Amino acid sequence: MSVGALFNPRSIALVGATDKSGWSVSTLLNLRTHGFPGTVHLVNPRGGTVHGEPAHRSLSEIPEPVDLAYVMVPTAAVPGVLREGAKLGIRCYVILTAGFGESGPEGARLEAEIADLAREHGLTVLGPNGNGYINAAASITPYGLPIAPPLIKGSVGVVLQSGALASSVLGFAQARNVGISLLTSMGNEAVVTVTDVVDHLVDDPATKVIALFLETVRNPAEFARVARRALLAGKPIVALKIGRSTLASHTAQAHTGALVGDDDVIDAALRRLGVIRVRSLEDLIITSGLLASTGPLPGGRVGVVTPSGGASEIIADRAEDEGLELPPFAPETVARLSEIVPSFGTVQNPLDVTGYVLIDRTLLGRALETVTADPGVDLVLLLSEPPRVAPPDPGPTLALYESSARRIAESPVPVVVVSNVLTDVTEFGRQVQQETGYPYVVGGIEHGMTAIGAAVRWSRTRARTLERGSAEPGGAALVAVPDVPAAERTGVWAEHRAAALLASAGVPVVPAEAAYDEEEAVAAAERFGYPVVLKAAAEGLGHKSDIGGVRLGLRGPDDVRRAHREVTAAARAHRPDAWTLVQPQRTGGIELLVGVVRDPAWGPTLAVGLGGVWVEVLRDTALRVLPVDAAEVRLALSELRGAALLRGARGSAPADLDAVADVVARVAALAGALGDDLESLEINPLLVEGSRVEALDALITWRS
């Protein structure tokens, strides 16, 4: 299968061309008006004249080779077209026709037949039920809906699992002066998939950024492969993934399952792969356009130059939302700006140069030049936009924008130009940008700050990837995994078995002794020293606290005897063979949840967050799809709302985050090494106090 050949034909046959079809009219018009350099053949079973041109009755009548067949025939006739084309050596097809897998069992059967034909004859098939594609870089436009001029060529490759939205996305990109390299409407993906096209775009020299609209990720492993390729190649992937579901439990036993929903896992998976996830079509195109313009950004310290105090305040608020820093200007920058900004202005970051820009048209540019030289900023946000209406004499306007463009091009740090609000770039504004070299303008402060924040985060992920030389986390903890016979990999392993497995892998676990009567419980308590904890234990027993199976703070033999009687009575109502575990009681510190749950699509997923009794109340967790290393765990811990507790809030001792990250990475490595039989593994709580890290309770659930 050759995706490159699909997108670069020298001759195209429109099969099923007819004056009665708007699709047919639009496809031919697109090819004629947007500069397709090759030959277009029309095929209609009646022959004659179609769209004012002679038509062939079949592919076989075309007297020269055909590189691409664009198929618009009725659903049942599509397989016949592919068979005829395969005999003639035509290897690439776009199938516009609908009525296949999306329409029911008979359509699904026909779609399977198309896939079988493609495999048998080595055909590359886009669709069915898709509009086609627009290869703007090469002026090849076999696309079934009208393409309004101008078709702006650029470096954003767009791949959509939606035919209806493709034209809207294209229109918005044109309105914001974002040029595309390739836009593809995928249809049903019977043969060519999203990942096939992304793979092609990673190697495409005309593409710098890949924008995806995803309804589903059909093959997570293959998607992960191409996303890693893109990250290593330095091509950002920006994705709008729809279909966010309600939180769903993957296992009835572990708290972790109640905290990990399908959409949460997708977030974690995309983050691990360096894919930027956005929430709107506007952000999809605007963020892609920014990254195509700037490439990687060197950091998150932003200098801001605006002509508006109100806009400065909005930018400051949004910068905090995005985790961007607006550092104070250096003293030498303040001194230089004080000579430029009117006396009634305030020199600070964000900088409002005031409305005096209407009198001194050079003020904004001179302030920009000064701020870009500040040693404490990684990039500068300039609030500006192309002119909307052409003045009677455009000369001064062009000169002003040419001067600004030169300052931006010569800046020692990237300059991101952002407009106040999201409006279309007018034809005159587009002309000014083209003639002066004025850069891409991000549409609106809201979307602009979203795009800058996303670009900075992607750039950091990219930098970490280059440092370790791989798109996968490295240095994961090595664990010794005991041989667990297949017959034992079943049901729920309660604390005594789960803790033993963790301990064998080097995870620190609170000591415990089994007690089958009151005297054994007292003897164990005496050995540990009071106070102690007594818990119910039995094969298959899950959450002990739910059945009254835990007693804390036992300070003497009488407490232990009474607790043993009560706990065994409660537990044996559920498990007749229940006994108890005695442990030394731990106090102080911070309780964390560490759990791994197997997602049906993405595999084992780590959740780490505040634990104990608060886990389902606070729901403060960070997720990572395995594998992870200690560095990635540390990053996850920093994302928690309760991260300040670990750092030592209100005078408490800070946690040894390296020790915590090492233990959590060891737990994740164990879960990964246990293989596909594992459904979930949970420690709740993992007690952290300074450098002491200890699992106080554990639970394992096997998939069977």
Side-chain angles (χ1 to χ4, degrees):
M1 183 170 69
S2 175
V3 176
L6 171 72
F7 293 133
N8 291 279
R10 291 162 299 180
S11 60
I12 299 174
L14 303 186
V15 185
T18 171
D19 292 323
K20 299 178 182 179
S21 168
W23 302 98
S24 181
V25 171
S26 294
T27 306
L28 180 62
L29 186 63
N30 290 335
L31 291 166
R32 296 291 190 219
T33 60
H34 292 288
F36 175 55
T39 306
V40 180
H41 305 279
L42 305 183
V43 178
N44 182 292
R46 294 184 177 85
T49 300
V50 177
H51 307 322
E53 300 181 16
H56 303 282
R57 286 190 292 267
S58 68
L59 286 170
S60 301
E61 284 192 2
I62 298 175
E64 59 186 69
V66 171
D67 295 326
L68 172 70
Y70 189 91
V71 182
M72 301 175 284
V73 300
T75 305
V78 171
V81 172
L82 267 61
R83 288 190 180 91
E84 180 188 13
K87 291 179 181 178
L88 297 169
I90 302 172
R91 292 289 174 259
C92 297
Y93 299 81
V94 172
I95 301 178
L96 173 77
T97 309
F100 289 89
E102 79 282 3
S103 65
E106 177 56 22
R109 185 193 65 76
L110 286 171
E111 187 168 316
E113 185 177 351
I114 288 173
D116 291 341
L117 284 168
R119 282 189 293 270
E120 180 183 352
H121 298 287
L123 309 181
T124 302
V125 180
L126 180 64
N129 188 32
N131 294 331
Y133 66 84
I134 300 169
N135 184 348
S139 300
I140 302 171
T141 54
Y143 183 75
L145 294 173
I147 303 172
L151 177 57
I152 304 171
K153 299 181 180 182
S155 54
V156 177
V158 184
V159 187
L160 303 107
Q161 287 180 327
S162 170
L165 290 178
S167 292
S168 296
V169 168
L170 176 63
F172 181 72
Q174 291 172 319
R176 287 305 312 165
N177 210 24
V178 175
I180 66 167
S181 56
L182 176 73
L183 181 146
T184 308
S185 172
M186 295 305 305
N188 292 4
E189 299 181 61
V191 180
V192 175
T193 65
V194 165
T195 51
D196 294 326
V197 180
V198 173
D199 224 2
H200 166 77
L201 292 173
V202 171
D203 296 324
D204 177 25
T207 300
K208 294 181 180 178
V209 180
I210 301 166
L212 306 180
F213 176 85
L214 299 174
E215 294 174 341
T216 184
V217 178
R218 299 182 191 276
N219 187 330
E222 184 66 7
F223 183 88
R225 182 189 67 80
V226 298
R228 292 188 197 103
R229 284 196 68 222
L231 186 60
L232 290 170
K235 293 193 176 184
I237 296 179
V238 185
L240 172 57
K241 169 66 179 70
I242 62 168
R244 286 181 285 164
S245 66
T246 57
L247 291 176
S249 173
H250 295 301
T251 170
Q253 291 292 337
H255 284 106
T256 313
L259 299 173
V260 179
D262 295 341
D263 198 60
D264 302 299
V265 176
I266 289 169
D267 258 346
L270 296 183
R271 187 186 308 114
R272 186 193 75 175
L273 297 169
V275 175
I276 299 166
R277 189 176 187 187
V278 295
R279 302 291 180 179
S280 69
L281 291 170
E282 292 84 356
D283 284 330
L284 179 68
I285 295 303
I286 289 170
T287 303
S288 298
L290 170 64
L291 280 160
S293 173
T294 66
L297 296 175
R301 300 175 302 170
V302 184
V304 180
V305 180
T306 84
S308 166
S312 296
E313 293 172 357
I314 297 172
I315 291 168
D317 287 345
R318 289 290 288 112
E320 184 172 314
D321 296 340
E322 296 295 332
L324 300 170
E325 182 184 356
L326 304 183
F329 291 135
E332 58 269 28
T333 304
V334 173
R336 290 181 60 194
L337 288 173
S338 297
E339 298 174 357
I340 298 172
V341 176
S343 58
F344 51 83
T346 302
V347 175
Q348 62 182 17
N349 189 21
L351 175 66
D352 170 19
V353 300
T354 77
Y356 203 73
V357 292
L358 296 176
I359 298 173
D360 181 356
R361 302 295 297 274
T362 70
L363 175 57
L364 195 65
R366 289 186 293 129
L368 171 67
E369 191 171 35
T370 300
V371 172
T372 58
D374 189 287
V377 301
D378 300 312
L379 67 136
V380 173
L381 185 160
L382 173 65
L383 198 69
S384 180
E385 56 190 294
R388 298 188 58 77
V389 180
D393 178 10
T397 299
L398 290 170
L400 179 65
Y401 277 87
E402 187 174 25
S403 174
S404 295
R406 185 177 64 255
R407 283 190 169 100
I408 292 169
E410 295 174 352
S411 168
V413 296
V415 176
V416 178
V417 185
V418 179
S419 61
N420 279 294
V421 294
L422 180 58
T423 55
D424 291 355
V425 177
T426 65
E427 189 56 43
F428 179 64
R430 199 187 323 274
Q431 175 192 342
V432 168
Q433 287 186 279
Q434 290 171 344
E435 293 185 13
T436 66
Y438 199 75
Y440 170 70
V441 177
V442 182
I445 295 173
E446 172 64 25
H447 296 289
M449 295 305 293
T450 297
I452 294 171
V456 167
R457 290 188 291 274
W458 177 83
S459 301
R460 288 170 177 162
T461 300
R462 162 80 173 150
R464 290 196 301 270
T465 298
L466 292 179
E467 286 175 6
R468 64 178 178 241
S470 169
E472 282 285 14
L478 296 176
V479 297
V481 182
D483 181 28
V484 181
E488 296 182 21
R489 295 181 175 228
T490 183
V492 177
W493 279 19
E495 180 177 357
H496 62 292
R497 296 185 74 186
L501 184 62
L502 288 166
S504 69
V507 177
V509 176
V510 66
E513 289 191 23
Y516 295 91
D517 59 38
E518 295 176 22
E519 296 312 313
E520 286 185 355
V522 171
E526 299 285 350
R527 284 189 288 272
F528 287 130
Y530 295 102
V532 296
V533 176
L534 190 141
K535 302 176 181 178
E539 296 293 344
L541 184 63
H543 293 302
K544 300 171 287 293
S545 57
D546 293 346
I547 61 169
V550 179
R551 295 292 185 274
L552 306 175
L554 306 178
R555 298 189 173 276
D558 291 342
D559 289 347
V560 172
R561 290 187 179 94
R562 181 172 60 254
H564 181 84
R565 289 194 298 271
E566 293 172 353
V567 165
T568 52
R572 286 172 181 169
H574 301 269
R575 295 288 191 274
D577 59 345
W579 65 94
T580 63
L581 291 177
V582 181
Q583 299 170 337
Q585 178 152 328
R586 304 303 197 206
T587 57
I590 301 164
E591 294 185 344
L592 296 180
L593 164 81
V594 179
V596 176
V597 171
R598 179 171 300 280
D599 180 80
W602 295 97
T605 303
L606 170 72
V608 58
L610 295 183
V613 297
W614 299 107
V615 58
E616 290 181 10
V617 176
L618 298 178
R619 305 183 70 83
D620 184 14
T621 56
L623 302 185
R624 293 293 189 274
V625 174
L626 300 191
V628 298
D629 56 16
E632 189 66 25
V633 173
R634 278 208 62 160
L635 185 61
L637 291 169
S638 72
E639 296 170 3
L640 299 175
R641 298 192 302 275
L645 296 174
L646 293 168
R647 293 192 295 267
R650 302 184 69 86
S652 62
D656 183 341
L657 292 176
D658 286 335
V660 177
D662 181 70
V663 170
V664 175
R666 191 171 290 275
V667 172
L670 171 62
L674 289 173
D676 293 343
D677 291 336
L678 182 72
E679 176 67 33
S680 68
L681 185 160
E682 180 178 284
I683 298 172
N684 184 30
L686 180 74
L687 185 66
V688 178
E689 185 174 21
S691 60
R692 179 162 65 93
V693 183
E694 195 173 38
L696 302 190
D697 202 346
L699 186 71
I700 290 176
T701 305
W702 300 97
R703 294 181 75 181
S704 59

